Amino acid sequence: MTKIKLGKDIAKPIDNACERKYGFRGVDSSQHSGDCKVPVFFLQVKKDVYSNDPKRGQDVQKIYDACKTEKELVWIGPGTDNPHMTGKRFEGYSFLNEHPEMLLSFFNKHVNS
């Protein structure tokens, strides 16, 4: 996605720098999401231009699909079951402030299980 937005692909240099500095790669979260051992609540603006590539598909969906633990994915924004504002990424940050019910339900389901 950075190649589309910036005109050059910086993912590989960033990934290499992460490995040098921290000892692991981390640009592609789908490579690691299968290792997750705890329940995960995913919430994503459906039409986020930074995670939705018309050619490659929705990054968050790929990460969700690769995650092998118990999980839930909630799409928000226009055209979803959870319409919220206009569908811009930064608007997604306010969704749970206004609608905490889904996250609280997920949390309550898993905190005592």
Side-chain angles (χ1 to χ4, degrees), residues 47-64:
K47 296 187 179 187
D48 180 353
V49 297
Y50 294 101
S51 65
N52 187 22
D53 181 342
K55 293 179 184 173
R56 295 178 331 146
Q58 180 56 260
D59 287 346
V60 173
Q61 183 68 54
K62 291 176 185 174
I63 295 166
Y64 174 84

Side-chain angles (χ1 to χ4, degrees), residues 12-112:
K12 205 171 266 277
I14 290 173
D15 207 30
N16 290 338
C18 283
E19 184 175 39
R20 277 192 311 277
K21 185 164 183 161
Y22 305 111
F24 62 89
R25 297 181 172 277
V27 172
D28 184 357
S29 298
S30 65
Q31 293 176 349
H32 306 290
S33 61
D35 298 327
C36 188
K37 305 292 185 219
V38 298
V40 180
F41 182 84
F42 294 88
L43 182 121
Q44 179 65 37
V45 175
K46 182 78 170 178
K47 296 187 179 187
D48 180 353
V49 297
Y50 294 101
S51 65
N52 187 22
D53 181 342
K55 293 179 184 173
R56 295 178 331 146
Q58 180 56 260
D59 287 346
V60 173
Q61 183 68 54
K62 291 176 185 174
I63 295 166
Y64 174 84
D65 292 344
C67 185
K68 295 179 177 120
T69 189
E70 193 165 344
K71 60 196 174 186
E72 185 176 332
L73 172 59
V74 175
W75 294 110
I76 63 172
T80 70
D81 291 338
N82 305 291
H84 182 69
M85 301 184 142
T86 65
K88 294 186 172 104
R89 170 179 276 216
F90 66 88
E91 295 171 342
Y93 300 127
S94 68
F95 182 80
L96 291 173
N97 292 333
E98 297 171 26
H99 308 282
E101 302 83 16
M102 288 180 269
L103 180 59
L104 291 173
S105 174
F106 184 84
F107 184 73
N108 287 333
K109 178 180 175 184
H110 296 287
V111 88
N112 293 318

Side-chain angles (χ1 to χ4, degrees), residues 4-18:
I4 293 169
K5 301 297 176 192
L6 299 175
K8 64 181 183 174
D9 189 356
I10 62 169
K12 205 171 266 277
I14 290 173
D15 207 30
N16 290 338
C18 283

